[in-house]
Amino acid sequence: QVLLVQSGAEVKKPGASVRISCKTSGYSFTNWPIHWVRQAPGQGLEWMGEINPSGGATTYAQKFEGRVTMTRDTSTSTVYLDLNSLKSEDTAVYYCARGMGILIIHFDSWGQGTLVTVSS
Amino acid sequence: DIQMTQSPSSLSASLGDRVTITCRASQTITKYLNWYQQKPGKAPGLLIYAASSLQSGVPSRFSGSGSGTDFTLTISSLQPEDFATYFCQQTFSTPQTFGQGTRVEIK
């Protein structure tokens, strides 16, 4: 079955960087984009961007432009999210999700989430 | 950015009740609308995509309708496992945006 398994929780200081991995299995890695969504404590869902594993093309939400980088490793079917210049407001659970659909994109499989805590 | 507004923000209902949640987009999104269910401490799960298509494995008591700017998620007969938070999402344009969520609680 389709699985997305994320790396473990992180605690970072303000100004630091964090890398989260999302290892996929159970389907053809290059067929579908991977999206990143975050959720601050007690808050809603916020889309951060996506990466096309086939060629590596990325689209980022304007809010994160310049601070976020999404990459992929096709040899291990893994996608990475790098977020730098961390602030306390970046404390959240970060999810990767597979984007299905040719016309109407929908997220049919999600990782388990990675809690990132930013605190001095 | 397209704003997605859900109503109500929370509701209390009893087992067996029919529950309706509304999602309104700030501009037309045709049928580019998905619904997710999230339980505490868990990742969201897809219920409905393209406004009215039921995701494989999701019980038929869940249904979606609407197009343009106004959409509805209906649970025909509320079950114990349905107490959760529900989010709508538009994928018509980037950035994709979510509603603020509707929390369904036990009355």
Side-chain angles (χ1 to χ4, degrees):
Chain A
Q1 82 275 28
V2 175
L3 281 178
L4 284 69
V5 179
Q6 299 181 221
S7 48
E10 303 267 9
V11 178
K12 297 292 182 180
K13 294 192 182 303
S17 299
V18 69
R19 164 171 278 204
I20 304 169
S21 66
C22 173
K23 183 171 176 58
T24 73
S25 60
Y27 73 100
S28 180
F29 176 65
T30 55
N31 278 5
W32 304 103
I34 294 292
H35 298 251
W36 289 93
V37 175
R38 75 178 187 179
Q39 186 171 36
Q43 302 302 307
L45 300 165
E46 182 175 33
W47 182 80
M48 300 180 69
E50 66 176 289
I51 180 168
N52 183 337
S54 176
T58 54
T59 302
Y60 302 137
Q62 188 172 13
K63 173 178 179 176
F64 300 101
E65 283 276 9
R67 265 205 323 139
V68 69
T69 304
M70 297 175 189
T71 56
R72 93 289 189 216
D73 181 344
T74 55
S75 69
T76 60
S77 299
T78 301
V79 170
Y80 298 93
L81 170 71
D82 290 291
L83 187 61
N84 56 39
S85 302
L86 290 169
K87 316 164 208 177
S88 58
E89 307 91 272
D90 293 317
T91 294
V93 176
Y94 290 75
Y95 294 103
C96 59
R98 184 176 74 162
M100 285 290 287
I102 301 300
L103 269 182
I104 300 181
I105 304 301
H106 48 279
F107 300 170
D108 73 323
S109 297
W110 294 65
Q112 82 275 20
T114 297
L115 175 62
V116 175
T117 303
V118 183
S119 173
S120 55
Chain B
D1 298 2
I2 297 176
Q3 306 302 315
M4 305 301 293
T5 303
Q6 287 182 234
S7 60
S9 296
S10 65
L11 65 89
S12 295
S14 300
L15 294 178
D17 281 355
R18 183 181 182 87
V19 169
T20 298
I21 299 169
T22 297
C23 180
R24 174 165 289 176
S26 60
Q27 64 188 75
T28 183
I29 57 172
T30 63
K31 283 185 170 286
Y32 287 68
L33 190 284
N34 307 313
W35 290 98
Y36 300 87
Q37 177 193 67
Q38 186 179 35
K39 297 181 179 179
K42 300 294 186 182
L46 179 66
L47 296 174
I48 301 285
Y49 64 95
S52 58
S53 295
L54 190 68
Q55 171 68 358
S56 175
V58 173
S60 59
R61 62 180 179 275
F62 291 93
S63 64
S65 64
S67 66
T69 60
D70 294 312
F71 302 86
T72 298
L73 173 71
T74 299
I75 309 172
S76 60
S77 177
L78 201 63
Q79 299 301 301
E81 58 269 31
D82 301 337
F83 293 96
T85 300
Y86 295 84
F87 294 95
C88 61
Q89 174 204 30
Q90 68 81 18
T91 58
F92 181 80
S93 68
T94 299
Q96 302 171 19
T97 46
F98 293 85
Q100 81 279 13
T102 295
R103 185 174 178 182
V104 176
E105 301 173 318
I106 302 173
K107 182 182 283 185

